[in-house]
Amino acid sequence: MNIQNFLKTLKTAKRSSASTLSPKPYQHLPHLISQFLTASKPLDASTLQDLNSTAFHDILTNPHLKASKCYRFFNFVVQNQSILSFKPDLQDHLTLISRLLKARLFADAEAMLKTVSIDENIRYPFLVIASAVENCCFESKIMAKFFNLMLKVYSDGGKFIEATKAFDFMKNNGIKIDERTCTVHLNALKRADELGLALDFFNQMLQAGLEISVYSLTSVIDGLCRNGDIKEARETVEEMSGRGVKANVITYNTLIDSCAKRWDFEELDLVLGLMNKAEVGFNVDTYKFLIDGYTSYGKIEEAERLVMEMHGKGLRVDAYLYNLMMNGYCKLGSIENVLLLLGRMRDRGVKPNADTYWPIINWHSKVGAMEMAMKYVREMQKMGFELDKVMYDMLIDRFCRNGMADEAFELQIEMERKGFHADISLCNRIGELLCKTYQIEKAKMLMNIMIKRGKCPETVSFTSAIS
């Protein structure tokens, strides 16, 4: 059936309904619209000229049509505005949104609500929409879903003032507020760096008597911690605990991570005390945050104690945590403890990685123990880990500093085979050393490598010696 025949049948159905006073006007519409929606006929002005706003509204309210089909028909009408004599009004939008909410088609309802609330082309002020909804006589459950969805739409769209209006309207009119929607709004405010508004809204939630979830609490705590207000965050956790809202391990981890990164160990002790009092145990992330903070500050022994505690509890300990401690001991110049940790790591079945060997290689090469440095390089390579360009450059530089021309040259050749190119300054230094030790053939080989790369030797001693 084409659209023209459909509209003629629609007019016939309306005339028949008026003459017979049928209690079910447009009873044939469901079948006709179903056929129309599956048809692919070209449209022009003549085919839609008889469709008016009254008939359109009757279609949207017809109980024999599913909400999903009404939604498709609505979109069809919107997409063909240029050949219609009317535009869907606010009442049409709200009528269909109500039906979509009843049918639990929330994504479609949200898309429609966006067009009337935040779309710049047909946006209506909040109070206009609220008044129209009240006139529609929505069921209480549907009205609650509508305004909670409206709060979410405003929040997602960054319309925070309108979101507050929606919240206040629900609170003042006894409409049930969904705490999960409030959490979504808190997160949106936090992402927009509107911490002040987030705290104000959180207080509004409390004043409205909402049952605050741990998710909302954690969102606020995260915002405070990001802003550096750790003390206020901890005090908020204490206050909410008195109200019966218990923080979970994620909430406490947010506080612990913030304290550890700022080396605020005094506040950290207070947070750990709260956590212990609430009988909330550590998880893997808790240990990671603490170990990271302790090692970066130099409290390596405390970090090591926590790692052993993790092993004792059967928690997974990865190489990353051992690497943190090794780096810490290297900064303190305690290579003995680094090697002890490497041994314990192996004994515990934790597989080292390239980052494990880096501080060991770096330390030995720094003090001139190049043979030991290369011993760990070869050990690392046997385990399947390769040097990167930074490590190659560092080792070549250290060989040059120690006057070890052959070793620097061989490592540079290995580096080229792996697809890395040594810095031109390093090549010049290797060339100088080779010339000073009368290894002219190797120096020529190095020069050829440099020329192929489009580089020329820069030092006089290098070029003159070869000449």
Side-chain angles (χ1 to χ4, degrees), residues 224-295:
L224 287 168
C225 286
R226 288 187 185 188
N227 202 47
D229 300 321
I230 303 175
K231 182 180 179 182
E232 185 178 350
R234 174 182 56 78
E235 290 174 346
T236 300
V237 169
E238 289 183 283
E239 179 186 345
M240 295 309 298
S241 178
R243 291 172 178 257
V245 182
K246 304 297 182 184
N248 60 17
V249 67
I250 298 174
T251 317
Y252 283 110
N253 282 349
T254 303
L255 283 162
I256 289 169
D257 184 33
S258 188
C259 291
K261 284 178 177 175
R262 291 171 173 80
W263 297 343
D264 190 346
F265 296 112
E266 182 179 347
E267 195 63 44
L268 177 60
D269 288 339
L270 293 173
V271 172
L272 292 175
L274 273 180
M275 195 174 183
N276 182 60
K277 183 179 179 181
E279 298 181 344
V280 177
F282 290 5
N283 64 10
V284 173
D285 286 336
T286 314
Y287 282 104
K288 284 184 177 180
F289 295 143
L290 288 169
I291 292 167
D292 200 342
Y294 286 140
T295 52

Side-chain angles (χ1 to χ4, degrees), residues 3-4 41-49 80 83:
I3 185 65
Q4 194 167 11
K41 303 292 183 182
L43 298 174
D44 54 41
S46 62
T47 59
L48 284 178
Q49 61 185 357
N80 291 277
I83 55 176

